[in-house]
Amino acid sequence: MINSQPNIVSPASFTMEHIVFSPDLTIADNVVLENLSGEIEIGLLGANLESIKARRDSRDISALQSFNDPKSQFFDPTVLSTYDLRHLRHTLPVIVGKNVVAPYIASARRIVRHETDVVMATHLILYFSTSVPSAIWLFYNFTYLHGVLHFLMQAWYTGSYTLMRHQHIHQNGVLTKDSSLVRLFDMYFPYVTDPLMGHTWNSYYYHHVKHHHVEGNGPDDLSSTLRYQRDDLFHFLHYLGRFFFFVWLDLPLYFFRKGQTVNGARILFWELFNYFSLFILYQLHSKATTFVFLLPLLLMRLGLMVGNWGQHAFVDPDEPDSDFRSSITLIDVASNRYCFNDGYHTSHHLNPRRHWREHPIAFLQQKRKYAEEKALVFHNIDYLMITVKLLQKDYDHLARCLVPIGQEQIKLSMKDRAEMLRGLTRRFTEEEIREKFPRAGQKQKEL
Protein backbone atom coordinates (compact mmCIF):
# COMPACT_ATOMS: atom_id res chain seq x y z
CA MET A 1 0.00 0.00 0.00
CA ILE A 2 1.61 3.24 -1.15
CA ASN A 3 0.23 6.61 -0.22
CA SER A 4 1.54 10.15 -0.23
CA GLN A 5 -0.28 10.73 3.05
CA PRO A 6 0.68 9.13 6.37
CA ASN A 7 -0.71 5.66 6.98
CA ILE A 8 -1.50 5.64 10.70
CA VAL A 9 -1.37 2.29 12.42
CA SER A 10 -2.93 2.42 15.88
CA PRO A 11 -3.82 -1.02 17.25
CA ALA A 12 -2.88 0.01 20.79
CA SER A 13 -4.46 2.91 22.62
CA PHE A 14 -1.21 4.06 24.30
CA THR A 15 0.73 4.82 21.13
CA MET A 16 0.43 5.83 17.49
CA GLU A 17 2.77 4.69 14.74
CA HIS A 18 3.04 7.10 11.80
CA ILE A 19 4.45 5.25 8.82
CA VAL A 20 4.72 7.43 5.71
CA PHE A 21 4.98 5.68 2.36
CA SER A 22 6.39 8.28 0.01
CA PRO A 23 5.50 7.68 -3.64
CA ASP A 24 9.16 8.38 -4.46
CA LEU A 25 10.60 5.54 -2.40
CA THR A 26 12.59 2.96 -4.32
CA ILE A 27 10.99 -0.41 -4.94
CA ALA A 28 13.34 -1.99 -2.39
CA ASP A 29 12.55 0.63 0.26
CA ASN A 30 8.84 0.04 -0.22
CA VAL A 31 9.34 -3.68 0.33
CA VAL A 32 11.42 -3.07 3.47
CA LEU A 33 9.05 -0.49 4.94
CA GLU A 34 5.99 -2.66 4.26
CA ASN A 35 7.77 -5.53 5.98
CA LEU A 36 8.62 -3.46 9.06
CA SER A 37 5.19 -1.86 9.30
CA GLY A 38 3.61 -5.32 9.26
CA GLU A 39 5.78 -6.37 12.20
CA ILE A 40 4.87 -3.21 14.10
CA GLU A 41 1.18 -3.93 13.65
CA ILE A 42 1.60 -7.51 14.85
CA GLY A 43 3.75 -6.36 17.77
CA LEU A 44 1.27 -3.74 18.91
CA LEU A 45 -1.51 -6.31 18.83
CA GLY A 46 0.56 -8.38 21.20
CA ALA A 47 0.61 -11.28 18.74
CA ASN A 48 3.51 -13.68 18.40
CA LEU A 49 3.11 -14.94 14.86
CA GLU A 50 6.65 -16.05 14.09
CA SER A 51 5.61 -18.32 11.24
CA ILE A 52 3.83 -15.45 9.48
CA LYS A 53 6.84 -13.18 10.01
CA ALA A 54 9.19 -15.84 8.64
CA ARG A 55 7.06 -16.41 5.52
CA ARG A 56 6.85 -12.67 4.90
CA ASP A 57 10.61 -12.26 5.33
CA SER A 58 11.31 -15.14 2.94
CA ARG A 59 8.92 -13.71 0.35
CA ASP A 60 10.38 -10.20 0.56
CA ILE A 61 14.00 -11.35 0.50
CA SER A 62 13.32 -13.55 -2.55
CA ALA A 63 11.63 -10.65 -4.33
CA LEU A 64 14.57 -8.31 -3.70
CA GLN A 65 17.05 -10.96 -4.79
CA SER A 66 15.16 -11.49 -8.05
CA PHE A 67 15.40 -7.76 -8.82
CA ASN A 68 19.21 -8.10 -8.65
CA ASP A 69 19.52 -11.36 -10.59
CA PRO A 70 20.21 -10.86 -14.33
CA LYS A 71 18.86 -14.38 -14.97
CA SER A 72 15.51 -13.63 -13.34
CA GLN A 73 12.47 -12.47 -15.30
CA PHE A 74 12.07 -9.80 -12.59
CA PHE A 75 15.60 -8.40 -13.03
CA ASP A 76 15.37 -4.65 -12.62
CA PRO A 77 18.62 -2.76 -13.34
CA THR A 78 18.93 0.83 -12.18
CA VAL A 79 19.16 3.11 -15.23
CA LEU A 80 18.36 6.51 -13.73
CA SER A 81 18.48 7.65 -10.12
CA THR A 82 15.21 9.52 -10.48
CA TYR A 83 12.99 6.76 -11.88
CA ASP A 84 12.78 2.99 -11.63
CA LEU A 85 13.03 1.11 -14.91
CA ARG A 86 9.48 -0.21 -14.65
CA HIS A 87 8.28 3.40 -14.32
CA LEU A 88 10.13 4.37 -17.48
CA ARG A 89 8.64 1.44 -19.36
CA HIS A 90 5.14 2.55 -18.43
CA THR A 91 5.60 6.27 -19.14
CA LEU A 92 7.83 6.46 -22.21
CA PRO A 93 6.40 5.90 -25.68
CA VAL A 94 6.90 2.31 -26.81
CA ILE A 95 9.03 3.40 -29.75
CA VAL A 96 11.41 5.26 -27.43
CA GLY A 97 11.65 2.36 -25.04
CA LYS A 98 12.30 -0.11 -27.82
CA ASN A 99 14.72 1.92 -29.94
CA VAL A 100 16.51 4.06 -27.35
CA VAL A 101 16.21 2.75 -23.78
CA ALA A 102 16.51 -0.98 -24.47
CA PRO A 103 19.61 -0.70 -26.73
CA TYR A 104 21.23 1.67 -24.24
CA ILE A 105 20.65 -0.73 -21.34
CA ALA A 106 22.01 -3.65 -23.36
CA SER A 107 25.17 -1.70 -24.22
CA ALA A 108 25.67 -0.25 -20.74
CA ARG A 109 25.29 -3.65 -19.05
CA ARG A 110 28.40 -4.77 -20.93
CA ILE A 111 30.60 -1.93 -19.65
CA VAL A 112 29.53 -1.58 -16.00
CA ARG A 113 31.02 -3.71 -13.21
CA HIS A 114 27.63 -5.04 -12.07
CA GLU A 115 24.75 -5.50 -14.49
CA THR A 116 22.38 -3.78 -12.08
CA ASP A 117 24.50 -0.61 -12.34
CA VAL A 118 23.55 0.86 -15.71
CA VAL A 119 23.07 4.06 -13.71
CA MET A 120 26.85 4.34 -13.28
CA ALA A 121 27.28 4.68 -17.03
CA THR A 122 24.37 7.12 -17.11
CA HIS A 123 25.99 9.34 -14.49
CA LEU A 124 29.39 9.32 -16.17
CA ILE A 125 27.82 10.31 -19.49
CA LEU A 126 25.92 13.07 -17.69
CA TYR A 127 29.00 14.52 -15.96
CA PHE A 128 31.23 14.39 -19.00
CA SER A 129 28.59 15.97 -21.21
CA THR A 130 27.62 18.78 -18.80
CA SER A 131 30.05 19.46 -15.91
CA VAL A 132 33.29 19.06 -17.86
CA PRO A 133 32.44 21.18 -20.94
CA SER A 134 30.70 23.77 -18.78
CA ALA A 135 33.81 24.14 -16.60
CA ILE A 136 36.07 24.44 -19.62
CA TRP A 137 33.83 27.09 -21.17
CA LEU A 138 33.84 29.15 -17.97
CA PHE A 139 37.63 29.43 -18.16
CA TYR A 140 37.35 30.37 -21.83
CA ASN A 141 34.42 32.81 -21.66
CA PHE A 142 33.30 33.53 -18.08
CA THR A 143 30.00 35.19 -17.21
CA TYR A 144 28.47 35.45 -13.75
CA LEU A 145 25.18 33.98 -14.94
CA HIS A 146 26.94 30.93 -16.32
CA GLY A 147 29.07 30.69 -13.17
CA VAL A 148 26.04 30.69 -10.87
CA LEU A 149 24.16 28.18 -13.05
CA HIS A 150 27.21 25.94 -13.19
CA PHE A 151 27.57 25.95 -9.41
CA LEU A 152 23.87 25.18 -8.92
CA MET A 153 24.19 22.27 -11.35
CA GLN A 154 27.18 20.93 -9.43
CA ALA A 155 25.34 21.35 -6.13
CA TRP A 156 22.56 19.17 -7.55
CA TYR A 157 25.07 16.55 -8.73
CA THR A 158 27.31 16.31 -5.66
CA GLY A 159 25.24 13.91 -3.57
CA SER A 160 24.78 11.30 -6.28
CA TYR A 161 28.33 11.73 -7.51
CA THR A 162 29.85 11.31 -4.06
CA LEU A 163 27.96 8.09 -3.44
CA MET A 164 28.88 6.81 -6.89
CA ARG A 165 32.49 7.46 -5.88
CA HIS A 166 31.70 5.76 -2.56
CA GLN A 167 30.92 2.62 -4.53
CA HIS A 168 34.01 3.23 -6.67
CA ILE A 169 36.46 3.42 -3.77
CA HIS A 170 35.05 0.41 -1.93
CA GLN A 171 34.94 -1.88 -4.98
CA ASN A 172 37.95 -0.54 -6.88
CA GLY A 173 35.83 0.79 -9.72
CA VAL A 174 32.34 0.83 -11.17
CA LEU A 175 33.07 -0.19 -14.76
CA THR A 176 34.03 -3.56 -16.23
CA LYS A 177 37.48 -5.03 -15.87
CA ASP A 178 37.13 -6.94 -19.15
CA SER A 179 38.15 -4.03 -21.38
CA SER A 180 41.56 -2.45 -20.79
CA LEU A 181 40.36 0.85 -22.27
CA VAL A 182 37.25 0.97 -20.07
CA ARG A 183 39.29 -0.08 -17.05
CA LEU A 184 41.78 2.72 -17.73
CA PHE A 185 38.96 5.26 -17.92
CA ASP A 186 37.47 3.84 -14.72
CA MET A 187 40.76 4.37 -12.91
CA TYR A 188 41.38 7.94 -14.00
CA PHE A 189 38.03 9.70 -14.52
CA PRO A 190 37.97 10.79 -10.81
CA TYR A 191 41.02 12.97 -11.42
CA VAL A 192 38.84 15.01 -13.78
CA THR A 193 35.50 14.95 -12.00
CA ASP A 194 36.49 14.91 -8.30
CA PRO A 195 37.67 18.56 -8.13
CA LEU A 196 34.62 19.67 -10.12
CA MET A 197 32.41 18.12 -7.41
CA GLY A 198 34.36 19.54 -4.47
CA HIS A 199 36.62 16.60 -3.67
CA THR A 200 40.38 16.91 -3.37
CA TRP A 201 42.33 14.23 -5.21
CA ASN A 202 42.33 10.85 -3.44
CA SER A 203 41.28 12.33 -0.07
CA TYR A 204 37.93 10.55 -0.05
CA TYR A 205 39.60 7.16 -0.45
CA TYR A 206 42.22 7.69 2.24
CA HIS A 207 39.86 9.34 4.72
CA HIS A 208 36.89 7.04 4.24
CA VAL A 209 38.37 3.62 3.45
CA LYS A 210 41.80 3.73 5.06
CA HIS A 211 40.74 5.77 8.08
CA HIS A 212 37.01 6.02 8.90
CA HIS A 213 36.17 2.35 8.35
CA VAL A 214 39.24 1.29 10.31
CA GLU A 215 38.29 3.42 13.32
CA GLY A 216 34.49 3.13 13.02
CA ASN A 217 33.58 6.35 14.86
CA GLY A 218 35.91 5.36 17.68
CA PRO A 219 38.10 7.80 19.62
CA ASP A 220 40.88 7.75 16.99
CA ASP A 221 38.45 8.56 14.17
CA LEU A 222 39.04 12.16 13.05
CA SER A 223 35.33 12.41 12.22
CA SER A 224 34.21 10.73 15.45
CA THR A 225 31.19 12.23 17.19
CA LEU A 226 31.97 10.69 20.60
CA ARG A 227 33.51 13.77 22.19
CA TYR A 228 30.66 16.05 21.12
CA GLN A 229 27.20 16.74 22.47
CA ARG A 230 25.37 15.88 19.29
CA ASP A 231 22.45 18.28 19.76
CA ASP A 232 24.64 21.29 20.56
CA LEU A 233 25.21 23.90 17.83
CA PHE A 234 28.58 25.06 19.14
CA HIS A 235 29.85 21.51 19.36
CA PHE A 236 28.76 20.95 15.78
CA LEU A 237 30.49 24.15 14.62
CA HIS A 238 33.71 23.01 16.31
CA TYR A 239 33.36 19.63 14.59
CA LEU A 240 32.75 21.28 11.23
CA GLY A 241 35.53 23.85 11.63
CA ARG A 242 38.18 21.29 12.46
CA PHE A 243 37.40 19.26 9.36
CA PHE A 244 37.05 22.36 7.18
CA PHE A 245 40.40 23.87 8.01
CA PHE A 246 42.63 21.11 9.35
CA VAL A 247 41.75 17.79 7.67
CA TRP A 248 44.57 18.36 5.17
CA LEU A 249 47.00 18.13 8.12
CA ASP A 250 45.10 15.93 10.58
CA LEU A 251 44.78 13.02 8.15
CA PRO A 252 48.49 12.73 7.26
CA LEU A 253 49.39 13.09 10.95
CA TYR A 254 46.94 10.27 11.78
CA PHE A 255 48.72 7.92 9.37
CA PHE A 256 52.13 8.96 10.67
CA ARG A 257 51.00 8.24 14.26
CA LYS A 258 49.82 4.80 13.17
CA GLY A 259 53.15 4.03 11.56
CA GLN A 260 51.64 4.18 8.06
CA THR A 261 54.29 6.48 6.65
CA VAL A 262 53.55 5.75 3.00
CA ASN A 263 49.84 6.51 3.35
CA GLY A 264 50.65 9.67 5.30
CA ALA A 265 53.11 10.88 2.67
CA ARG A 266 50.70 10.10 -0.16
CA ILE A 267 47.72 11.95 1.28
CA LEU A 268 49.89 14.90 2.30
CA PHE A 269 51.22 15.12 -1.28
CA TRP A 270 47.76 14.97 -2.84
CA GLU A 271 46.29 17.52 -0.45
CA LEU A 272 49.13 20.01 -0.95
CA PHE A 273 49.23 19.40 -4.70
CA ASN A 274 45.49 20.00 -4.92
CA TYR A 275 45.66 23.31 -3.05
CA PHE A 276 48.72 24.38 -5.03
CA SER A 277 46.81 23.66 -8.26
CA LEU A 278 43.86 25.71 -7.04
CA PHE A 279 46.21 28.58 -6.17
CA ILE A 280 47.74 28.54 -9.66
CA LEU A 281 44.32 28.36 -11.32
CA TYR A 282 43.08 31.23 -9.14
CA GLN A 283 46.00 33.37 -10.32
CA LEU A 284 45.14 32.54 -13.94
CA HIS A 285 41.36 33.06 -13.67
CA SER A 286 40.02 33.91 -10.22
CA LYS A 287 36.34 34.09 -11.17
CA ALA A 288 36.17 30.80 -13.04
CA THR A 289 38.23 29.04 -10.35
CA THR A 290 35.87 30.32 -7.66
CA PHE A 291 32.72 28.98 -9.30
CA VAL A 292 34.21 25.81 -10.81
CA PHE A 293 36.40 24.62 -7.92
CA LEU A 294 36.28 26.67 -4.72
CA LEU A 295 32.53 26.93 -4.12
CA PRO A 296 32.00 23.18 -4.77
CA LEU A 297 34.89 22.46 -2.37
CA LEU A 298 33.27 24.51 0.40
CA LEU A 299 29.87 22.93 -0.24
CA MET A 300 31.27 19.41 -0.24
CA ARG A 301 33.15 19.92 3.02
CA LEU A 302 29.96 21.20 4.64
CA GLY A 303 27.85 18.37 3.23
CA LEU A 304 30.25 15.63 4.30
CA MET A 305 30.33 16.80 7.90
CA VAL A 306 26.61 17.52 8.19
CA GLY A 307 25.94 14.06 6.79
CA ASN A 308 28.47 12.25 8.97
CA TRP A 309 27.11 13.98 12.07
CA GLY A 310 23.65 12.61 11.27
CA GLN A 311 25.01 9.15 10.47
CA HIS A 312 26.79 8.81 13.80
CA ALA A 313 24.84 11.11 16.11
CA PHE A 314 23.11 8.32 18.04
CA VAL A 315 25.64 6.25 19.97
CA ASP A 316 24.65 3.76 22.65
CA PRO A 317 26.71 4.48 25.80
CA ASP A 318 26.62 0.77 26.73
CA GLU A 319 28.25 -0.46 23.51
CA PRO A 320 29.55 2.53 21.53
CA ASP A 321 31.95 0.36 19.52
CA SER A 322 29.10 -1.68 18.03
CA ASP A 323 28.27 -0.91 14.40
CA PHE A 324 24.64 -1.63 15.23
CA ARG A 325 24.65 0.96 18.03
CA SER A 326 26.81 3.73 16.58
CA SER A 327 25.23 4.10 13.13
CA ILE A 328 21.69 4.13 11.80
CA THR A 329 19.51 2.96 8.91
CA LEU A 330 17.33 5.29 6.85
CA ILE A 331 14.44 4.30 4.62
CA ASP A 332 14.05 7.53 2.71
CA VAL A 333 14.04 9.05 -0.73
CA ALA A 334 17.11 11.29 -0.78
CA SER A 335 19.63 8.84 0.66
CA ASN A 336 18.48 5.70 -1.11
CA ARG A 337 17.01 6.77 -4.43
CA TYR A 338 19.53 9.46 -5.34
CA CYS A 339 22.54 8.30 -3.33
CA PHE A 340 22.79 4.56 -3.96
CA ASN A 341 21.21 3.27 -0.72
CA ASP A 342 23.43 5.40 1.48
CA GLY A 343 20.66 5.24 4.06
CA TYR A 344 21.64 1.66 4.92
CA HIS A 345 24.62 2.95 6.83
CA THR A 346 24.69 0.22 9.47
CA SER A 347 24.71 -2.43 6.74
CA HIS A 348 27.58 -0.62 5.08
CA HIS A 349 29.63 -0.52 8.28
CA LEU A 350 28.94 -4.20 8.89
CA ASN A 351 30.33 -4.99 5.44
CA PRO A 352 32.04 -2.07 3.65
CA ARG A 353 32.43 -4.11 0.47
CA ARG A 354 28.74 -4.94 0.20
CA HIS A 355 27.26 -3.78 -3.10
CA TRP A 356 24.75 -0.97 -2.73
CA ARG A 357 21.89 -2.98 -4.23
CA GLU A 358 22.44 -5.71 -1.62
CA HIS A 359 21.84 -3.51 1.43
CA PRO A 360 18.03 -3.90 1.64
CA ILE A 361 18.41 -7.68 1.30
CA ALA A 362 21.09 -7.84 3.98
CA PHE A 363 18.95 -5.68 6.26
CA LEU A 364 15.96 -8.02 6.03
CA GLN A 365 18.18 -11.06 6.46
CA GLN A 366 19.67 -9.60 9.65
CA LYS A 367 16.53 -7.88 10.89
CA ARG A 368 16.32 -9.99 14.05
CA LYS A 369 19.94 -9.14 14.85
CA TYR A 370 19.24 -5.44 14.34
CA ALA A 371 16.37 -5.69 16.83
CA GLU A 372 18.44 -7.64 19.38
CA GLU A 373 21.22 -5.07 19.15
CA LYS A 374 18.79 -2.15 19.60
CA ALA A 375 19.69 -0.68 16.23
CA LEU A 376 17.86 2.44 15.05
CA VAL A 377 15.85 2.69 11.83
CA PHE A 378 14.35 5.99 10.64
CA HIS A 379 12.16 6.85 7.69
CA ASN A 380 10.86 9.97 5.95
CA ILE A 381 14.01 11.91 6.92
CA ASP A 382 17.55 12.12 5.55
CA TYR A 383 20.90 12.60 7.29
CA LEU A 384 20.96 16.33 6.70
CA MET A 385 17.57 16.82 8.30
CA ILE A 386 18.52 14.54 11.18
CA THR A 387 21.40 16.91 11.89
CA VAL A 388 19.09 19.93 11.60
CA LYS A 389 16.48 18.40 13.92
CA LEU A 390 19.15 17.47 16.44
CA LEU A 391 20.52 21.00 16.51
CA GLN A 392 16.95 22.21 17.00
CA LYS A 393 16.60 19.61 19.78
CA ASP A 394 13.39 18.47 18.08
CA TYR A 395 13.33 14.94 19.44
CA ASP A 396 9.58 14.71 19.00
CA HIS A 397 10.02 14.93 15.22
CA LEU A 398 12.82 12.38 15.31
CA ALA A 399 10.64 10.07 17.41
CA ARG A 400 7.90 10.23 14.79
CA CYS A 401 10.42 9.31 12.10
CA LEU A 402 11.65 6.29 14.05
CA VAL A 403 10.55 2.91 12.72
CA PRO A 404 10.62 0.74 15.85
CA ILE A 405 12.06 -2.74 15.44
CA GLY A 406 11.76 -5.40 18.12
CA GLN A 407 9.23 -5.52 20.92
CA GLU A 408 11.22 -3.26 23.22
CA GLN A 409 11.09 -0.34 20.78
CA ILE A 410 7.58 -1.10 19.54
CA LYS A 411 6.15 -0.78 23.04
CA LEU A 412 7.66 2.68 23.62
CA SER A 413 5.35 5.68 23.59
CA MET A 414 6.35 8.68 21.50
CA LYS A 415 7.59 10.45 24.63
CA ASP A 416 9.69 7.45 25.60
CA ARG A 417 11.12 7.26 22.09
CA ALA A 418 12.13 10.91 22.24
CA GLU A 419 13.83 10.42 25.61
CA MET A 420 15.61 7.32 24.37
CA LEU A 421 17.00 9.24 21.38
CA ARG A 422 18.00 12.17 23.58
CA GLY A 423 20.04 9.83 25.77
CA LEU A 424 21.97 8.54 22.75
CA THR A 425 23.34 11.97 21.82
CA ARG A 426 25.22 12.67 25.05
CA ARG A 427 28.94 13.34 24.73
CA PHE A 428 31.39 10.83 26.16
CA THR A 429 33.91 11.85 28.79
CA GLU A 430 37.55 10.86 28.35
CA GLU A 431 37.16 8.44 31.26
CA GLU A 432 34.20 6.76 29.54
CA ILE A 433 36.13 6.56 26.28
CA ARG A 434 39.08 4.85 27.99
CA GLU A 435 36.66 2.41 29.63
CA LYS A 436 34.61 1.65 26.51
CA PHE A 437 37.54 1.61 24.06
CA PRO A 438 40.38 -0.04 25.99
CA ARG A 439 42.15 -0.99 22.79
CA ALA A 440 41.79 2.35 21.00
CA GLY A 441 44.56 2.74 18.49
CA GLN A 442 44.82 -0.99 17.82
CA LYS A 443 41.43 -1.66 16.23
CA GLN A 444 41.63 -2.90 12.67
CA LYS A 445 38.96 -4.16 10.29
CA GLU A 446 39.32 -6.22 7.15
CA LEU A 447 38.30 -4.00 4.25
Side-chain angles (χ1 to χ4, degrees):
M1 184 170 97
I2 301 174
N3 303 294
S4 58
Q5 299 298 320
N7 174 31
I8 301 176
V9 183
S10 54
S13 60
F14 63 86
T15 188
M16 295 285 286
E17 302 295 338
H18 299 76
I19 304 298
V20 180
F21 286 87
S22 167
D24 296 322
L25 284 175
T26 63
I27 295 171
D29 271 7
N30 265 302
V31 171
V32 171
L33 192 54
E34 286 277 9
N35 182 287
L36 293 179
S37 64
E39 289 220 350
I40 294 170
E41 188 169 4
I42 291 173
L44 288 173
L45 287 169
N48 185 18
L49 306 175
E50 293 302 324
S51 61
I52 293 179
K53 294 178 183 178
R55 285 198 298 271
R56 177 187 287 138
D57 289 348
S58 178
R59 178 201 65 193
D60 292 343
I61 290 169
S62 295
L64 293 178
Q65 289 173 332
S66 70
F67 297 154
N68 293 354
D69 183 1
K71 297 178 182 179
S72 170
Q73 62 175 319
F74 302 109
F75 178 56
D76 195 62
T78 305
V79 180
L80 300 173
S81 296
T82 312
Y83 301 105
D84 296 311
L85 180 57
R86 62 183 63 185
H87 177 81
L88 288 176
R89 286 172 174 157
H90 284 95
T91 56
L92 289 175
V94 175
I95 190 171
V96 175
K98 181 179 180 180
N99 296 296
V100 178
V101 177
Y104 170 68
I105 293 174
S107 299
R109 285 174 63 179
R110 292 194 293 269
I111 67 169
V112 293
R113 183 74 57 87
H114 301 274
E115 290 189 64
T116 53
D117 292 0
V118 173
V119 66
M120 302 297 183
T122 304
H123 276 249
L124 288 170
I125 292 170
L126 177 66
Y127 303 140
F128 277 89
S129 62
T130 56
S131 296
V132 174
S134 176
I136 293 172
W137 188 255
L138 278 169
F139 277 90
Y140 178 73
N141 184 26
F142 178 86
T143 64
Y144 278 103
L145 177 60
H146 183 187
V148 170
L149 293 176
H150 176 88
F151 172 66
L152 292 176
M153 176 178 68
Q154 296 307 102
W156 178 255
Y157 287 165
T158 50
S160 295
Y161 175 81
T162 298
L163 273 301
M164 182 187 76
R165 285 284 285 123
H166 184 251
Q167 182 75 8
H168 189 278
I169 60 178
H170 276 292
Q171 303 212 345
N172 299 318
V174 294
L175 302 181
T176 182
K177 297 179 181 179
D178 297 338
S179 166
S180 57
L181 185 61
V182 173
R183 178 63 179 147
L184 195 65
F185 176 80
D186 195 26
M187 289 174 60
Y188 291 107
F189 80 78
Y191 289 93
V192 176
T193 50
D194 271 10
L196 296 178
M197 303 291 179
H199 291 279
T200 51
W201 287 310
N202 290 314
S203 296
Y204 192 30
Y205 169 75
Y206 281 102
H207 189 283
H208 185 76
V209 175
K210 294 295 187 180
H211 166 63
H212 177 61
H213 275 285
V214 170
E215 301 298 344
N217 199 54
D220 291 339
D221 191 339
L222 297 176
S223 54
S224 172
T225 59
L226 293 175
R227 293 182 172 91
Y228 294 95
Q229 179 67 35
R230 273 90 69 190
D231 60 2
D232 186 284
L233 176 61
F234 293 104
H235 280 230
F236 172 73
L237 292 176
H238 181 277
Y239 179 82
L240 176 64
R242 178 179 177 181
F243 183 83
F244 234 99
F245 298 110
F246 298 111
V247 68
W248 66 273
L249 180 61
D250 277 347
L251 190 55
L253 290 177
Y254 162 84
F255 287 121
F256 291 141
R257 287 195 303 271
K258 297 291 183 177
Q260 301 178 38
T261 306
V262 174
N263 283 341
R266 284 174 176 169
I267 189 57
L268 183 61
F269 165 78
W270 283 114
E271 283 290 291
L272 294 179
F273 182 56
N274 186 89
Y275 295 129
F276 174 75
S277 300
L278 291 176
F279 175 78
I280 296 300
L281 286 170
Y282 191 84
Q283 302 306 308
L284 295 174
H285 200 313
S286 60
K287 295 176 182 178
T289 300
T290 297
F291 282 91
V292 172
F293 297 114
L294 297 182
L295 290 179
L297 175 63
L298 297 176
L299 179 65
M300 180 56 66
R301 291 286 163 95
L302 174 64
L304 288 173
M305 287 298 96
V306 172
N308 194 78
W309 187 272
Q311 288 171 339
H312 295 285
F314 301 101
V315 183
D316 192 321
D318 294 330
E319 292 188 47
D321 60 341
S322 166
D323 289 324
F324 289 103
R325 302 190 186 199
S326 64
S327 58
I328 61 177
T329 299
L330 300 187
I331 303 172
D332 78 314
V333 175
S335 305
N336 295 335
R337 174 167 291 286
Y338 299 108
C339 295
F340 302 100
N341 281 337
D342 188 44
Y344 291 88
H345 200 65
T346 300
S347 174
H348 175 60
H349 269 274
L350 291 171
N351 182 357
R353 288 191 178 274
R354 184 174 286 141
H355 186 261
W356 68 278
R357 288 270 302 236
E358 295 294 324
H359 287 309
I361 299 171
F363 174 80
L364 288 182
Q365 289 172 332
Q366 296 180 279
K367 185 176 59 175
R368 301 288 176 251
K369 183 68 173 177
Y370 276 71
E372 291 170 4
E373 293 291 335
K374 302 178 182 179
L376 297 179
V377 179
F378 294 88
H379 82 305
N380 200 35
I381 191 170
D382 60 24
Y383 295 119
L384 304 186
M385 284 308 299
I386 282 181
T387 296
V388 169
K389 291 301 176 182
L390 281 171
L391 298 181
Q392 293 176 338
K393 303 183 188 297
D394 191 353
Y395 286 98
D396 290 337
H397 182 89
L398 292 168
R400 290 192 295 271
C401 291
L402 186 73
V403 182
I405 57 173
Q407 281 299 106
E408 185 175 337
Q409 289 184 9
I410 289 174
K411 290 179 179 179
L412 292 175
S413 66
M414 284 294 179
K415 180 180 179 180
D416 290 336
R417 289 187 200 177
E419 289 307 308
M420 175 192 70
L421 294 176
R422 190 188 305 274
L424 298 177
T425 61
R426 179 183 60 81
R427 71 181 298 188
F428 287 71
T429 65
E430 292 302 317
E431 182 179 352
E432 287 175 314
I433 288 174
R434 285 192 296 271
E435 177 186 345
K436 301 295 182 179
F437 297 88
R439 300 181 62 192
Q442 302 175 33
K443 181 181 178 183
Q444 293 291 327
K445 291 184 179 180
E446 182 181 352
L447 298 179

